Amino acid sequence: MAKELKKTDVVLVGMGWTGGILAAELSKKGYKVVGLERGKNQTLADFQMMHDELRFAHRFEMMQDLSTETVTFRNNLKMRALPMRQYGSFLLGNNVGGAGTHWNGQTFRFLPYDFEIYTKTVERYGKFKIPEEMTLQDWGITYDEFEKYYDQFEKAIGVSGDEAPLGAPRSNPFPTPPMKKTPALELFFEAAKKLNLHPYMMPSANLSENYTNPDNISRPACQYCGFCERFGCEYAAKADPLNTVIPVALNTGNFELRTHANVVEILHQDGKAVGVKYIDTITREEYIQPAEVVGITSYALNNVRLLLISKMGKPYDPNTGTGVVGKNYCYQTFGASAQGFFENKQFNLYAGAGALGACLDDFNGDNFDHSDLNFLHGANISITQTGRRPIANNATPPGTPSWGAEFKKQSIKYANSVLSVGAQGASLPYRHHYLDLDPTYKDAFGLPLLRITFDFEEQDRQLVAYLGEQTEKIMKEMGADIIQAGKTLGPYNIVPYQSTHNTGGAIMGSSPETSVLNNYLQMWDFENVFIPGASAFPHNSGYNPTDTVGALAYRAAEGIDLYLQKGGLLV
């Protein structure tokens, strides 16, 4: 029988970015907060001497153990879903800090268009521009209403950057200046400007200089070691929850962190959550943690799974289009790219940082006319210098054998003479793209796995074809001697790595008929449950999601404070 513990003001399920931000903001206000993390604790000391590409980048030591819990996947409703038994398309974080410890640090704001995408699309092109099966909807909040939360998150983590000419407007400059502009990035800048495009330095959570944030947390500048994605930062130059928000919460004395605490159910009665049930993964003992407010703050996919297992909210039905939990699953659309090989130029590509890059938004959002195009939205086009680690990076020109003497020769020849320009495309929702519980497969605790139903659509193929042309033009202007362009997109395949940007399933909006959450990330059906994170996105933009995830958490913290003062639905 589960042991019931002392009631707390707020219990948080997961201690990554959203859990860390809620813990910091609420504990500073004097609320008692318990943070439950199913993985182990981590500190800066755990990231010392982590430059082992095989161990972390290819054997995924920082990631969730798929033998105990994974997801199942299928492309459509007619297929049988099968478990993801080894890492491929995306990487599920684990331990305190979550995926926020092994990210690259690319920190973009979504565009004003994103927050009102349905309204603005219909205003400019008419409702018939939106495909019948596309479940596009506004977010229930405007960019102007939301901007202050971006500002708050960026100051907490010290984002380095400069003005994006076609990006989202800012009320304040970036906390720190942009990172170094390397010769490769300078080449991109020159080519883009010759094409009358508008390049800028990528906004980065890898600090360009030493920085102290408003909570008096100090961190040093980036060393450009090239070990960001899939690695923890031993310098704390790359912002993560461990070196920004979690210490703030712990220092208040109002926050308790419990590790190895796997939450298996949100307990509720009469339309309100009363607490959570969790299992200690070491002792296998069961506990009940009562709370006034429950924050579901784990990874996007896990948030949705926990709602479904706990029977909270109406599950989405793709056949009728009714229900909301699991609706509007979206991903990220890659495939548009141009790889250039240079015969007489070399670049120091083994130095870098996760968000060292240059980019442009000329073909993002609705910054360009879609009247004669068969797709909506677009992509941020970029070149990055993240550090070409030797195992995973052996680029050779088209026609080179994949093994043997010639492969080795060409790998060595072009080791520092190959650059890539890529487009990170938006992913828009469709009626038949959704999340639900798998009827067959279960985790180590006997609970059903989450099932993903998703495929690329004609929208995505048209987007990739158009943006592939743009990346190729830029690479030609950069002067590459050999160019391999990507302009086609096949069916979605979960096997090769693409992106960890899974979104949707517990989306925000203006009505309980079409969304799980209101614009304070508060559940319509359970007023004391808040769910910030990428699971709240009604669609995914042509950018990395973390800046928006962090901003949503600050919005939710404000909402929880209001709720604890007066109760009831806030919208």
Side-chain angles (χ1 to χ4, degrees):
M1 185 175 177
K3 179 181 179 181
E4 185 165 334
L5 305 172
K6 182 182 177 181
K7 189 175 184 179
T8 188
D9 294 323
V10 181
V11 63
L12 303 174
V13 182
M15 287 306 301
W17 273 124
T18 56
I21 290 168
L22 291 188
E25 293 304 297
L26 296 170
S27 62
K28 284 192 296 183
K29 290 181 178 296
Y31 297 114
K32 296 297 183 181
V33 182
V34 173
L36 303 177
E37 167 58 48
R38 66 181 176 185
K40 65 182 181 180
N41 198 8
Q42 298 182 110
T43 67
L44 191 64
D46 294 306
F47 301 151
Q48 303 302 308
M49 302 305 292
M50 281 189 74
H51 295 187
D52 186 331
E53 183 184 0
L54 182 64
R55 178 181 171 190
F56 293 100
H58 302 286
R59 292 179 176 166
F60 310 111
E61 188 162 309
M62 295 187 74
M63 312 307 168
Q64 179 178 307
D65 182 357
L66 298 183
S67 70
T68 60
E69 183 186 324
T70 183
V71 298
T72 69
F73 166 75
R74 60 182 181 175
N75 286 112
N76 57 63
L77 278 71
K78 296 179 181 179
M79 296 174 64
R80 177 189 175 189
L82 294 173
M84 182 175 75
R85 298 187 184 277
Q86 61 184 28
Y87 278 111
S89 184
F90 48 83
L91 306 175
L92 304 173
N94 199 27
N95 305 321
V96 176
T101 59
H102 62 76
W103 69 314
N104 262 327
Q106 298 174 14
T107 317
F108 294 93
R109 296 183 176 195
F110 283 10
L111 297 167
Y113 171 72
D114 284 305
F115 294 91
E116 300 173 272
I117 188 169
Y118 179 84
T119 298
K120 290 182 178 295
T121 299
V122 171
E123 285 176 353
R124 185 170 183 181
Y125 305 107
K127 66 180 181 179
F128 296 107
K129 183 67 173 177
I130 302 171
E132 184 178 357
E133 291 293 300
M134 185 183 284
T135 52
L136 206 62
Q137 63 186 69
D138 295 342
W139 288 43
I141 193 169
T142 67
Y143 177 82
D144 289 343
E145 293 169 324
F146 193 65
E147 193 274 341
K148 67 178 182 179
Y149 306 105
Y150 276 128
D151 187 63
Q152 198 171 359
F153 181 53
E154 290 163 4
K155 286 175 178 174
I157 67 175
V159 176
S160 302
D162 59 11
E163 193 68 31
L166 298 176
R170 307 179 58 84
S171 58
N172 290 300
F174 281 96
T176 53
M179 301 191 81
K180 296 180 184 297
K181 188 184 292 184
T182 66
L185 306 190
E186 187 63 60
L187 197 61
F188 176 88
F189 260 80
E190 293 171 359
K193 288 179 178 178
K194 287 178 182 177
L195 294 169
N196 296 316
L197 302 175
H198 301 82
Y200 61 99
M201 288 296 289
M202 181 174 287
S204 168
N206 319 125
L207 286 176
S208 62
E209 63 184 25
N210 297 348
Y211 177 70
T212 300
N213 76 3
D215 286 312
N216 206 34
I217 299 292
S218 296
R219 295 166 35 233
C222 178
Q223 305 296 306
Y224 296 91
C225 71
F227 285 80
C228 288
E229 185 184 20
R230 309 187 187 191
F231 300 84
C233 181
E234 71 255 50
Y235 304 109
K238 179 181 75 175
D240 68 35
L242 302 172
N243 61 39
T244 54
V245 289
I246 292 177
V248 174
L250 291 169
N251 287 340
T252 66
N254 293 321
F255 173 61
E256 180 187 354
L257 174 63
R258 295 183 200 150
T259 56
H260 305 289
N262 187 53
V263 175
V264 293
E265 186 181 0
I266 308 297
L267 304 174
H268 56 91
Q269 61 186 37
D270 301 325
K272 292 184 72 172
V274 295
V276 304
K277 184 194 323 189
Y278 70 91
I279 298 174
D280 185 310
T281 58
I282 303 297
T283 66
R284 299 289 166 152
E285 293 179 280
E286 292 188 359
Y287 295 91
I288 291 173
Q289 176 59 67
E292 285 292 333
V293 169
V294 175
I296 304 179
T297 52
S298 59
Y299 184 68
L301 298 178
N302 297 331
N303 290 348
V304 179
R305 178 175 182 249
L306 191 54
L307 285 181
L308 291 167
I309 287 173
S310 304
K311 296 181 171 56
M312 299 177 71
K314 185 177 180 181
Y316 175 69
D317 182 349
N319 295 305
T320 63
T322 59
V324 288
V325 180
K327 176 186 175 183
N328 280 33
Y329 169 76
C330 293
Y331 190 48
Q332 201 88 64
T333 307
F334 288 96
S337 63
Q339 189 173 52
F341 297 85
F342 295 79
E343 297 294 340
N344 299 306
K345 288 184 179 178
Q346 287 199 334
F347 310 92
N348 185 18
L349 300 177
Y350 291 92
L356 176 60
C359 52
L360 52 88
D361 290 319
D362 296 75
F363 306 102
N364 206 355
D366 203 33
N367 288 340
F368 58 113
D369 189 5
H370 291 72
S371 297
D372 297 324
L373 300 173
N374 293 321
F375 66 91
L376 293 171
H377 216 297
N380 177 265
I381 292 177
S382 68
I383 181 172
T384 56
Q385 189 167 332
T386 58
R388 292 180 66 84
R389 297 182 293 271
I391 297 175
N393 294 283
N394 289 282
T396 57
T400 304
S402 59
W403 195 249
E406 185 62 18
F407 168 77
K408 294 177 182 178
K409 177 183 175 182
Q410 296 299 320
S411 294
I412 294 169
K413 177 180 178 180
Y414 292 106
N416 282 294
S417 299
V418 57
L419 301 177
S420 294
V421 173
Q424 179 169 233
S427 179
L428 303 185
Y430 279 80
R431 178 169 172 164
H432 45 279
H433 297 171
Y434 71 108
L435 306 172
D436 68 347
L437 295 178
D438 193 281
T440 304
Y441 295 98
K442 302 182 186 302
D443 69 6
F445 296 102
L447 298 172
L449 298 181
L450 189 73
R451 178 170 64 179
I452 300 173
T453 304
F454 176 77
D455 204 353
F456 292 127
E457 303 289 337
E458 186 61 22
Q459 146 82 21
D460 306 300
R461 289 186 281 274
Q462 292 286 333
L463 183 149
V464 166
Y466 180 83
L467 291 167
E469 294 283 351
Q470 313 314 315
T471 59
E472 186 177 31
K473 289 177 185 176
I474 296 170
M475 185 57 74
K476 283 181 179 177
E477 194 64 48
M478 290 171 67
D481 297 286
I482 303 170
I483 297 176
Q484 185 172 22
K487 305 176 189 178
T488 60
L489 185 67
Y492 173 66
N493 182 354
I494 202 169
V495 175
Y497 182 78
Q498 292 157 73
S499 170
T500 302
H501 305 163
N502 295 284
T503 70
I507 65 175
M508 61 191 292
S510 58
S511 167
E513 300 301 317
T514 57
S515 57
V516 176
L517 312 170
N518 63 29
N519 64 34
Y520 276 104
L521 295 308
Q522 178 188 34
M523 284 192 76
W524 295 108
D525 294 344
F526 294 86
E527 65 181 39
N528 65 335
V529 177
F530 291 74
I531 316 174
S535 54
F537 293 11
H539 74 277
N540 197 15
S541 185
Y543 294 115
N544 302 66
T546 305
D547 204 7
T548 304
V549 168
L552 286 174
Y554 281 100
R555 172 74 174 176
E558 182 180 296
I560 293 171
D561 182 33
L562 289 171
Y563 176 80
L564 286 169
Q565 292 179 48
K566 66 178 186 179
L569 285 174
L570 303 175
V571 176

